[in-house]
Amino acid sequence: MNALIKSATIVDSKSDFHNETVDILIEKGRIAKISKRISNPNNYREIKLDNLHVSQGWFDSSVSFGEPGYEERETIENGLKTAAQSGFTSVALNANSNPVIDSYADITFVKSKAQSKATSLYPIGALTKSSNGKDLAELFDMKNAGAVAFYDYQKPISNPNLMKIALQYASNFGGLVCSFPQESKISGKGVVNENINSTRLGLKGNPALAEELQIARDLFLLEYTEGKLHIPTISTAKSVELIRAAKQKKLDVSCSVAIHNLVLTDDSLEGFDTRYKVLPPLRTQNDCDALIEGLKDGTIDMVTTDHNPIDIEDKKVEFDFAKYGTIGLESAFGALQTVFTTKKTIGLLTQGKERFGVKESIIKEGEAADLCLLNPNVNYQFDKSDITSRSKNSAFLGMELNGKTYGIIANNKIVLK
């Protein structure tokens, strides 16, 4: 694949060309030359786009596509196309499927479905067999097949001894164990944040305490085992404090926050719209502020879309019976830019790669082209025409966003909208 990108402003603090507007020549999938002006004698494909900015390719540590088993929600092929058009050159795929991805063969299957795509797929294997929380899955075998972490998607491990054993066992081969932060006996049948809004709307509350208790437990287990832990999608101010203290003790812990938990609060629930039924639930503005501060000071390691396509039959029902989840790939950049600067937003979208075994890409000559193409200065109302996913369950529909992506150049391929 050969191409010439014209008049692109590079946004990459690790590049010698950061903040410069340049041409980028790509030959056979690698960056051959970066200069103020490059001619095109070989008649390569020229890419000229309005207010074009270029950054490292983005990474998402938590996406679900449905396949195998829930192809009506999303397929791996269309999911990777959506990720590519949204600026992501690598994604970590949750074991949120039927059957659950919990064996060497399952990891091999999803990797084969993603071969030759512009966006690279990094499978996350289930932590327990069938994600039932009872017996550990074949962690070492899945690691050898290419699994980058182990996680029962949005299913807490209630047995502390099982979590202890998982951390001990995985530490033998550097495996990353993920633990969903929710104490199920405390959360009970809660469907939204326990707060004045849950009382006013008559919806059962899921208290912040449920998340914080589980995190506190897991951090004690982590200290005991000296393992390697990732806590996905934290959502409360106290959770940030707990993880900040753990990092000060030099524990090997990382965490992420879902973009919708940064931008939206439980005030959105006013109309009982199930697009806002997510897990963990939308919390308060105080929680959002603490999460944003946690990102700024490095306590929170990465953001994620927690992209989770749900078909209309499971969303267009009463709030109590609707499935949890929102899609988030298409809206990620525009939503983050309602909170952060362009430089900070792009920095957040490229963080977390090393934790999940993804090679970092720097924009410099000789490196493989792993690029996101974007326009950071477009204000628009996000609607269904902006959605490539099969499922349309976006919590950001109708919201004013800032910034759009054009697509990516990665894995010797170009994907543009």
Side-chain angles (χ1 to χ4, degrees):
M1 180 274 294
N2 302 311
L4 178 59
I5 302 174
K6 300 293 289 183
S7 299
T9 302
I10 292 179
V11 186
D12 181 1
S13 58
K14 296 183 179 179
S15 172
D16 293 338
F17 299 92
H18 180 52
N19 280 340
E20 292 188 26
T21 300
V22 295
D23 292 352
I24 304 172
L25 178 65
I26 299 171
E27 293 183 318
K28 297 180 180 178
R30 305 192 78 83
I31 299 173
K33 186 177 181 181
I34 302 175
S35 184
K36 285 291 183 184
R37 192 167 298 167
I38 301 174
S39 60
N40 190 9
N42 295 317
N43 200 30
Y44 292 158
R45 176 179 177 179
E46 285 197 9
I47 298 174
K48 296 179 180 178
L49 297 165
D50 185 44
N51 193 33
L52 178 59
H53 287 58
V54 172
S55 76
Q56 293 182 32
W58 300 343
F59 169 67
D60 192 343
S61 61
S62 178
V63 302
S64 300
F65 290 152
E67 188 178 5
Y70 298 123
E71 287 84 357
E72 73 279 5
R73 298 179 184 175
E74 187 59 284
T75 62
I76 290 174
E77 181 176 5
N78 193 65
L80 290 175
K81 175 186 174 184
T82 301
Q85 292 185 350
S86 304
F88 294 87
T89 59
S90 50
V91 296
L93 178 69
N94 291 307
N96 185 22
S97 57
N98 183 24
V100 166
I101 302 166
D102 65 358
S103 69
Y104 186 103
D106 294 334
I107 297 293
T108 302
F109 169 76
V110 296
K111 287 184 70 177
S112 70
K113 296 288 288 188
Q115 279 184 349
S116 303
K117 298 293 188 290
T119 296
S120 299
L121 183 150
Y122 294 83
I124 297 174
L127 184 61
T128 65
K129 292 179 180 177
S130 301
S131 290
N132 62 16
K134 294 179 181 178
D135 302 297
L136 285 186
E138 301 168 1
L139 306 189
F140 186 60
D141 280 355
M142 287 192 287
K143 173 81 171 179
N144 289 337
V148 295
F150 308 102
Y151 177 32
D152 290 351
Y153 181 68
Q154 292 191 344
K155 294 181 179 178
I157 303 297
S158 59
N159 182 347
N161 191 52
L162 184 63
M163 178 55 67
K164 183 198 75 171
I165 293 169
L167 287 164
Q168 289 173 324
Y169 177 59
S171 67
N172 290 315
F173 52 87
L176 180 61
V177 173
C178 305
S179 178
F180 184 63
Q182 179 172 285
E183 212 315 317
S184 296
K185 290 183 176 64
I186 298 292
S187 62
K189 295 182 180 180
V191 292
V192 298
N193 181 48
E194 184 182 85
N195 188 34
I196 188 170
N197 282 329
S198 62
T199 304
R200 191 167 52 82
L201 297 172
L203 295 170
K204 295 183 180 70
N206 179 346
L209 175 66
E211 176 172 309
E212 296 148 9
L213 265 181
Q214 191 81 345
I215 289 176
R217 183 206 75 172
D218 287 342
L219 291 174
F220 273 112
L221 292 171
L222 179 65
E223 186 172 15
Y224 178 82
T225 60
E226 298 182 349
K228 186 177 179 181
L229 178 67
H230 178 70
I231 303 174
T233 59
I234 68 170
S235 68
T236 79
K238 182 67 174 178
S239 297
V240 179
E241 292 178 19
L242 289 167
I243 292 166
R244 185 178 288 124
K247 290 192 169 187
Q248 289 170 353
K249 294 167 74 172
K250 307 298 184 186
L251 299 186
D252 192 355
V253 61
S254 59
C255 67
S256 66
V257 58
I259 294 170
H260 48 267
N261 284 111
L262 285 173
V263 178
L264 303 170
T265 70
D266 59 357
D267 291 338
S268 303
L269 300 170
E270 188 68 39
F272 297 92
D273 193 326
T274 59
R275 290 184 296 111
Y276 301 111
K277 186 178 181 182
V278 292
L279 197 65
L282 301 177
R283 305 284 187 185
T284 66
Q285 188 60 53
N286 180 61
D287 293 307
C288 291
D289 293 342
L291 293 165
I292 290 167
E293 187 58 36
L295 283 168
K296 288 179 177 177
D297 69 19
T299 300
I300 302 175
D301 300 87
M302 62 198 84
V303 296
T304 174
T305 65
D306 203 25
H307 182 82
N308 188 8
I310 303 294
D311 54 276
I312 192 170
E313 287 83 359
D314 287 315
K315 275 292 188 181
K316 284 283 188 179
V317 293
E318 295 93 332
F319 200 95
D320 279 346
F321 300 115
K323 288 191 180 297
Y324 293 101
T326 176
I327 57 173
L329 287 169
E330 297 97 326
S331 55
F333 180 54
L336 277 174
Q337 282 216 134
T338 65
V339 180
F340 299 104
T341 64
T342 298
K343 181 182 177 183
K344 181 63 176 177
T345 294
I346 290 172
L348 292 174
L349 289 166
T350 56
Q351 286 175 196
K353 292 181 180 181
E354 183 180 356
R355 189 66 167 171
F356 283 82
V358 179
K359 185 179 181 295
E360 188 177 35
S361 58
I362 300 175
I363 302 176
K364 69 176 185 179
E365 294 176 0
E367 290 286 311
D370 189 88
L371 309 172
C372 169
L373 283 62
L374 58 120
N375 181 347
N377 301 320
V378 182
N379 292 302
Y380 65 104
Q381 186 177 76
F382 187 76
D383 61 33
K384 287 188 177 180
S385 68
D386 297 301
I387 295 176
T388 310
S389 302
R390 281 192 171 190
S391 298
K392 311 301 178 186
N393 58 305
S394 172
F396 295 100
L397 282 172
M399 185 173 170
E400 294 293 325
L401 304 185
N402 180 30
K404 283 192 173 186
T405 54
Y406 290 118
I408 63 171
I409 298 176
N411 286 336
N412 207 15
K413 290 179 174 56
I414 300 173
V415 178
L416 299 176
K417 292 180 180 176

